[in-house]
Amino acid sequence: MSIRYKISMVVIGTLILILAVNLILFYSINIITRQMDDIYVGNVRLSELSDALDELQIGVTDYLNTKSTDSLDEYYRFQQNYQGLLESFEQGVTDNEMKLLERNIYYISQNYMKLLDITIDAKRGRNIEKYKNYYEQATRLYDYIKDFISSLNNRRFRSNTASYEVLSTAINYQEWVSIIALVVLAFFDVFLVIFVTGNITRPLHELSTEANKVSAGELDTVEVVPVHSMDEVGVVTIAFNEMVSSIPGYLERLRESVENEQLLKQKELMMEAHLKDAHLKYLQAQINPHFLFNTLNAGAQLAMLEKADKTYEYVQNVASFFRYNIVEKDEVTLDQEIRLVDTYMYILNVRFSGDIHFSKEIEDEKLLSLKLPGMILQPIVENSVNYGIRDMEGKGKICLSVYKVDDNVCISIYDNGVGMSKEKIEAILEDKPMPDEPVDVTAEDRKKGNGVGLRNVIERLKLYYNDENHFEIISSGRNEGTEVVITVPYREDGYVPDNVG
Amino acid sequence: MENDENKVTTENVKTKSKERRLSLVITFHLGVLMIIIITVSVIFFHRRIGQSKELLMSDEVKRYSRYYVMITNDRNSNYWKSIYQGALEEAIENDSYIELLGDNLSGKYKKIDLIRMAINMEPDGIIVQADDTRAVVSLLQEADSKGIPVITIQEDNVECKRKSYVGINGYNLGRKYANEIVDYVKEKGLTSCNVMLLLDGSQSKNNQTIIASAFQERLEEKHLGGVVHVQNVPVSNDADYAAEEEIRDLIVKGNELPDVMICLNEKNTVCAYQTIVDYNHVGEVDIFGYYMSPTIRNAIEKGIIRSTIVADTKQMGKMAVGALNEYKESGYVSELFLADLERVDNSNLEPETEQGEAQDETTEE
């Protein structure tokens, strides 16, 4: 049932009720009024009869006095009128006093009119004695009839009065009954409307209360709104309940996606920051690479003119080393990285007169197409040179090997240098102060070091692969050498992790 | 906090549901009340309307095939009312209705007017207390000539061509009173007794004479002619208050108080009793009355009226109507119907009936 239907029903129902009660009351009053009219009909009829009788008597008297045709015509007219009025009178024998009086009036009147007729006949026949005698007799009957009529009138009036009193009290009661009935009806209607509209608005109220809770964010306290009927409110309530029950799921999903997005953004920012950091360090370290590069190119050309091939090759290598750094690339191939290491090692060997033995072991040339973040291998090699080999006695060796283990590619940089203690390895991996480091050295200070620090490499690998376990430092202890192994996932088409922007 | 809020909400819900239930209960009760009021009012009005209609006599009335009229000298007395009652009962039993003429009329009419009215009303029969006036006789003759049978009651007049007479035996009545006096004289051992016989002036002289002579005759038979001195006093009943005035005069202005007063109708009996009491002559004058009414019963109980002769009035009424019916049906009817007479004194006074009237069935002749 729709709300409109319900409200219409209430309004129409109460209207019909009011109408019905009023009709009943009106009908009662109408009956009484009609009954009251009836009361005096009898009296009116008797008065008419009495008047007609008077006319008749006067008519006869007139005729007897004047003997005119007009008065005779009048007489006959009066007689007809009187007879007509008499016809409605009771003529049979009953046990009702008034009806008996009517009967007697009727019969005496008939005799009276007969007497009048013979009186008039006698008058016409100029029989004075006879008509006087008849007239006397008729007058006596006239008096009787008058008395009968007045007796009947009195009796009727008495019974009418009793009847009127009964009706009058009935009307009095009716007044009160009407007032009480209407008051009760009004209250009934008010309560009916309150009850029915309450039933209509109650679900709305419940719904609004729960909706307020939802709007206030108190989702935990929201209860299932009961459905009372399948009207519009019922439909809305069902939809509301479904909505409320599904909101937590949506919120959870939304929260997750926001979190993910934030995480991604954060990573991206960090990657950028680290790369920038690395570049900055280079810029800081190498003043103006372009200038340097150009200068070095000029030097190489000079060396070529002077036919100093070694100098030319050296300067050329230095130049390509710096060029690599100038080209800003987030992602490079393993091949490019290895070539950088080659260049670097050449430069170092020139610097240190070929003291460092650098070897490469590439398991499969295909692996060289592997993509990875730039500036990864060179800092590790630099680190091996600076901390592993430089202070050692004897010939330093650095071995770079690339091989495949399962679906991963391992890039190992081994040096036979002084090695590392476990504490030191731990300190590098977890970015803690070195065991022999002064206490006031900060993480920022540590990163500075020479060029791009290991820490930077580790961080970038972590961000690039979205994983922690790509960087491993293996050292058995003092003078046992150090091996740094980078393990990255391999795919033949060149692997790029999804989460790298 | 949350718990408190929950409590408040629960309480709110409870209050609301209570309010709802309350409004439902009130609505229901008001509805029932309204239905009751309207039903009661409708029933009430129908009853009132019915009552009012009944009062207007618009309801069905009982119809009869014959209509008789009764005319008497004193229709207001219990005596005549009782006769009419008997007549009415008999009439209704035989599909007839009888009216005591004059009762329904506002004017006061003499008997001749009533008889004249009755003739013009064309009834099926007239029961009349006749007398020997010329006018009455001629009117009754006129009625007979118009085919309306006439029955005389209580008083007779053979000249009026009545079909039948219903009444009491005046001779027997006179003798009954004489017997009372004989017993009275014997009981009191009187050597002289003045008896005042109050004759009913409205009755025919003939009837009065029969009663008086029968009375005297019986006294003679009992050899009390010398002891009992009878004074016949006719008391007029025609005019209002006449009887009361005359009887008062007899007692107050009379030279000598009688020992006994014998009354031959109800009115005289009551008047004599009342005068004796009013003028403090109780014990000096003894009354022998006629008929039985509450007043007479009371007087008998007090011993002021020694005894009364009661005619069976209802029987008279029944006889009169019976005679008319018989005449209407067969064209013939017995000329004479006599009602029973009974003597009532303190010893056989029956417990008061509702109307305070005398018994219906009497015996003795």
Side-chain angles (χ1 to χ4, degrees):
Chain A
M1 257 203 280
S2 73
I3 291 177
R4 184 179 148 199
Y5 182 71
K6 282 182 188 170
I7 292 174
S8 307
M9 287 294 283
V10 173
V11 173
I12 292 169
T14 49
L15 276 179
I16 288 175
L17 202 60
I18 290 169
L19 195 69
V21 170
N22 274 310
L23 277 180
I24 291 172
L25 298 179
F26 177 74
Y27 178 68
S28 299
I29 287 178
N30 199 26
I31 286 179
I32 290 176
T33 319
R34 253 182 287 157
Q35 186 73 22
M36 280 202 164
D37 289 346
D38 284 351
I39 286 180
Y40 293 102
V41 166
N43 288 96
V44 171
R45 204 170 52 141
L46 278 181
S47 300
E48 282 174 7
L49 187 79
S50 182
D51 291 345
L53 180 66
D54 288 341
E55 281 175 346
L56 191 57
Q57 180 70 14
I58 291 165
V60 171
T61 315
D62 273 358
Y63 178 72
L64 293 183
N65 284 338
T66 62
K67 210 189 165 203
S68 69
T69 330
D70 285 351
S71 58
L72 189 64
D73 288 346
E74 285 272 278
Y75 161 74
Y76 285 128
R77 201 166 54 75
F78 291 147
Q79 195 190 36
Q80 214 171 354
N81 178 33
Y82 186 66
Q83 183 65 37
L85 288 171
L86 274 180
E87 288 311 316
S88 64
F89 273 49
E90 175 69 49
Q91 291 158 37
V93 181
T94 65
D95 57 358
N96 180 311
E97 280 185 352
M98 288 193 282
K99 297 223 179 265
L100 216 49
L101 275 169
E102 282 189 11
R103 177 204 178 274
N104 293 340
I105 288 170
Y106 178 82
Y107 280 103
I108 297 176
S109 297
Q110 297 304 323
N111 284 316
Y112 166 67
M113 284 189 287
K114 272 182 212 161
L115 261 179
L116 290 184
D117 282 344
I118 51 174
T119 307
I120 283 173
D121 283 347
K123 173 75 180 176
R124 278 180 174 162
R126 298 199 168 274
N127 191 334
I128 299 171
E129 204 178 326
K130 256 192 177 176
Y131 87 67
K132 271 192 173 171
N133 182 25
Y134 289 144
Y135 181 69
E136 244 170 56
Q137 286 183 39
T139 308
R140 213 178 282 145
L141 289 191
Y142 163 79
D143 290 336
Y144 293 162
I145 295 168
K146 284 293 271 189
D147 191 45
F148 268 78
I149 290 174
S150 114
S151 299
L152 180 56
N153 219 349
N154 282 344
R155 204 155 282 269
R156 186 152 275 163
F157 187 76
R158 221 176 301 152
S159 80
N160 288 352
T161 310
S163 181
Y164 175 80
E165 272 169 11
V166 168
L167 290 181
S168 175
T169 51
I171 278 195
N172 261 347
Y173 283 119
Q174 170 74 0
E175 242 176 63
W176 282 105
V177 167
S178 300
I179 290 169
I180 293 169
L182 287 175
V183 168
V184 170
L185 176 67
F187 277 103
F188 173 74
D189 271 353
V190 166
F191 278 95
L192 186 69
V193 167
I194 288 175
F195 178 70
V196 176
T197 51
N199 268 350
I200 294 169
T201 54
R202 181 158 45 92
L204 265 177
H205 178 76
E206 287 169 359
L207 188 60
S208 70
T209 312
E210 297 306 314
N212 267 336
K213 284 185 192 169
V214 172
S215 72
E218 299 163 2
L219 274 177
D220 301 342
T221 61
V222 175
E223 288 165 13
V224 174
V225 185
V227 179
H228 297 285
S229 66
M230 278 313 293
D231 54 12
E232 289 88 338
V233 180
V235 172
V236 172
T237 307
I238 290 170
F240 176 80
N241 284 338
E242 277 174 10
M243 185 186 84
V244 167
S245 68
S246 59
I247 279 180
Y250 286 126
L251 278 181
E252 184 57 31
R253 261 182 273 169
L254 189 68
R255 196 171 54 79
E256 271 175 19
S257 78
V258 168
E259 267 176 17
N260 279 339
E261 209 171 304
Q262 273 181 340
L263 210 61
L264 279 176
K265 269 190 184 167
Q266 207 178 345
K267 268 184 198 167
E268 211 175 318
L269 282 173
M270 277 171 85
M271 285 273 281
E272 230 167 273
H274 285 297
L275 197 63
K276 288 262 161 70
D277 189 33
H279 286 161
L280 190 66
K281 290 213 171 113
Y282 267 92
L283 289 172
Q284 280 174 343
Q286 293 147 16
I287 314 164
N288 188 336
H290 282 282
F291 175 73
L292 203 58
F293 172 66
N294 292 334
T295 313
L296 285 172
N297 264 350
Q301 281 170 3
L302 196 60
M304 198 174 63
L305 285 175
E306 287 174 357
K307 308 253 191 241
D309 291 344
K310 280 191 177 176
T311 309
Y312 167 74
E313 196 184 352
Y314 174 75
V315 174
Q316 198 71 23
N317 270 310
V318 171
S320 73
F321 180 75
F322 287 122
R323 192 191 300 134
Y324 187 83
N325 281 306
I326 288 162
V327 179
E328 282 192 28
K329 268 190 179 173
D330 286 345
E331 208 173 59
V332 294
T333 57
L334 180 58
D335 185 40
Q336 286 173 311
E337 277 289 287
I338 291 173
R339 268 190 271 152
L340 180 69
V341 172
D342 284 341
T343 313
Y344 179 67
M345 284 313 297
Y346 172 82
I347 295 165
L348 281 190
N349 276 330
V350 173
R351 258 177 78 189
F352 299 111
S353 16
D355 276 355
I356 301 164
H357 178 80
F358 174 68
S359 61
K360 290 186 285 184
E361 288 170 21
I362 311 293
E363 193 185 69
D364 188 348
E365 288 294 320
K366 278 184 189 170
L367 298 179
L368 293 176
S369 63
L370 178 76
K371 293 200 171 162
L372 66 169
M375 293 299 291
I376 293 290
L377 299 183
Q378 188 270 332
I380 298 167
V381 173
E382 188 182 339
N383 201 59
S384 296
V385 171
N386 288 347
Y387 298 100
I389 298 169
R390 185 173 291 175
D391 301 331
M392 70 172 284
E393 292 169 4
K395 198 165 178 76
K397 280 182 184 172
I398 288 172
C399 182
L400 188 150
S401 42
V402 177
Y403 52 90
K404 215 177 144 192
V405 176
D406 299 331
D407 285 337
N408 295 318
V409 176
C410 295
I411 305 161
S412 157
I413 295 154
Y414 172 78
D415 71 81
N416 60 343
V418 290
M420 276 188 200
S421 65
K422 276 189 179 164
E423 291 80 22
K424 202 165 182 180
I425 294 169
E426 214 173 291
I428 291 167
L429 289 177
E430 294 176 16
D431 199 17
K432 283 178 184 169
M434 296 289 174
D436 50 354
E437 214 175 41
V439 185
D440 58 344
V441 175
T442 62
E444 280 301 306
D445 293 333
R446 276 196 302 279
K447 278 181 188 168
K448 287 176 186 170
N450 300 311
V452 179
L454 280 183
R455 193 63 232 160
N456 182 280
V457 172
I458 294 167
E459 291 284 320
R460 276 194 294 133
L461 279 174
K462 207 197 285 179
L463 287 171
Y464 187 82
Y465 292 105
N466 200 27
D467 200 348
E468 296 228 338
N469 306 315
H470 293 278
F471 197 89
E472 203 177 355
I473 301 174
I474 303 159
S475 179
S476 309
R478 189 123 189 108
N479 295 324
E480 294 291 321
T482 306
E483 186 181 11
V484 174
V485 182
I486 294 168
T487 312
V488 294
Y490 173 73
R491 270 170 55 181
E492 282 189 17
D493 54 343
Y495 175 76
V496 181
D498 297 339
N499 50 356
V500 174
Chain B
M1 267 293 264
E2 210 166 277
N3 275 344
D4 287 352
E5 268 177 27
N6 278 345
K7 268 186 189 174
V8 171
T9 323
T10 324
E11 274 171 21
N12 271 350
V13 169
K14 276 185 183 170
T15 321
K16 290 239 164 124
S17 106
K18 264 188 186 174
E19 278 172 10
R20 207 159 51 238
R21 208 173 307 144
L22 187 70
S23 81
L24 179 66
V25 168
I26 292 175
T27 311
F28 177 75
H29 279 105
L30 284 173
V32 170
L33 183 63
M34 194 176 63
I35 291 167
I36 290 172
I37 288 176
I38 288 169
T39 314
V40 167
S41 88
V42 168
I43 292 171
F44 171 78
F45 284 115
H46 273 269
R47 286 208 178 151
R48 285 277 154 159
I49 298 291
Q51 208 177 334
S52 155
K53 275 188 181 162
E54 220 170 88
L55 285 170
L56 280 181
M57 300 287 181
S58 48
D59 281 350
E60 278 299 297
V61 290
K62 199 144 193 268
R63 293 184 174 277
Y64 301 95
S65 55
R66 286 190 208 125
Y67 174 53
Y68 301 137
V69 172
M70 183 183 272
I71 298 163
T72 74
N73 293 348
D74 183 15
R75 63 176 175 275
N76 293 321
S77 67
N78 288 323
Y79 183 80
W80 280 106
K81 278 181 185 164
S82 175
I83 290 175
Y84 172 68
Q85 201 56 41
L88 187 63
E89 282 169 17
E90 177 71 14
I92 286 171
E93 267 177 39
N94 291 289
D95 190 24
S96 338
Y97 190 79
I98 183 161
E99 189 186 357
L100 188 58
L101 196 60
D103 249 6
N104 290 342
L105 299 175
S106 46
K108 278 217 155 240
Y109 292 100
K110 288 192 172 170
K111 191 150 75 182
I112 48 165
D113 283 314
L114 292 175
I115 296 171
R116 201 176 282 126
M117 275 178 203
I119 292 167
N120 282 290
M121 275 152 53
E122 299 178 18
D124 296 299
I126 296 175
I127 298 170
V128 64
Q129 182 183 7
D131 56 41
D132 36 20
T133 57
R134 192 64 238 155
V136 169
V137 170
S138 74
L139 274 171
L140 291 178
Q141 283 169 347
E142 185 192 333
D144 183 67
S145 71
K146 287 190 172 173
I148 303 169
V150 174
I151 303 285
T152 53
I153 189 163
Q154 181 80 15
E155 302 287 333
D156 193 17
N157 191 325
V158 282
E159 283 177 51
C160 66
K161 293 189 176 174
R162 46 88 175 157
K163 300 295 173 209
S164 186
Y165 165 68
V166 176
I168 46 167
N169 191 329
Y171 182 75
N172 268 350
L173 188 65
R175 287 178 73 84
K176 268 184 180 290
Y177 280 119
N179 287 340
E180 291 295 310
I181 297 301
V182 170
D183 290 348
Y184 176 78
V185 170
K186 278 183 185 167
E187 189 191 313
K188 293 227 168 184
L190 297 173
T191 50
S192 169
C193 178
N194 288 326
V195 173
M196 195 178 271
L197 188 58
L198 301 179
L199 300 168
D200 187 349
S202 64
Q203 293 191 8
S204 65
K205 278 183 186 144
N206 192 20
N207 205 25
Q208 306 293 311
T209 314
I210 292 169
I211 294 169
S213 49
F215 181 74
Q216 196 64 46
E217 187 188 298
R218 182 66 179 158
L219 287 179
E220 299 292 340
E221 277 174 24
K222 289 286 176 181
H223 314 292
L224 286 176
V227 179
V228 179
H229 310 286
V230 182
Q231 186 192 355
N232 291 341
V233 183
V235 177
S236 161
N237 265 312
D238 286 346
D240 290 330
Y241 324 120
E244 196 270 329
E245 296 289 340
E246 284 181 31
I247 292 170
R248 197 188 68 88
D249 287 351
L250 283 174
I251 290 173
V252 178
K253 294 180 183 170
N255 299 327
E256 201 183 340
L257 273 179
D259 297 312
V260 172
M261 287 178 102
I262 296 173
C263 309
L264 294 185
N265 67 16
E266 184 202 347
K267 195 191 268 180
N268 290 356
T269 309
V270 174
C271 288
Y273 157 67
Q274 198 59 48
T275 314
I276 296 292
V277 171
D278 288 349
Y279 292 94
N280 220 4
H281 294 306
V282 176
E284 295 169 44
V285 181
D286 283 307
I287 299 170
F288 290 88
Y290 182 78
Y291 195 58
M292 177 64 77
S293 71
T295 317
I296 296 172
R297 172 185 299 278
N298 194 19
I300 291 173
E301 278 170 356
K302 287 178 182 167
I304 299 166
I305 295 178
R306 284 186 71 89
S307 70
T308 184
I309 305 290
V310 179
D312 191 343
T313 45
K314 279 201 172 176
Q315 190 192 29
M316 282 170 75
K318 279 177 198 277
M319 281 171 171
V321 172
L324 274 176
N325 279 334
E326 200 182 330
Y327 179 78
K328 287 298 249 188
E329 278 154 24
S330 64
Y332 302 100
V333 69
S334 167
E335 278 215 8
L336 184 65
F337 291 91
L338 291 177
D340 298 333
L341 290 173
E342 195 199 8
R343 173 188 173 276
V344 176
D345 64 7
N346 233 335
S347 63
N348 67 345
L349 196 64
E350 282 185 12
E352 194 167 1
T353 55
E354 209 176 298
Q355 287 85 18
E357 286 175 358
Q359 55 292 328
D360 288 343
E361 279 150 54
T362 50
T363 47
E364 219 230 313
E365 178 55 42

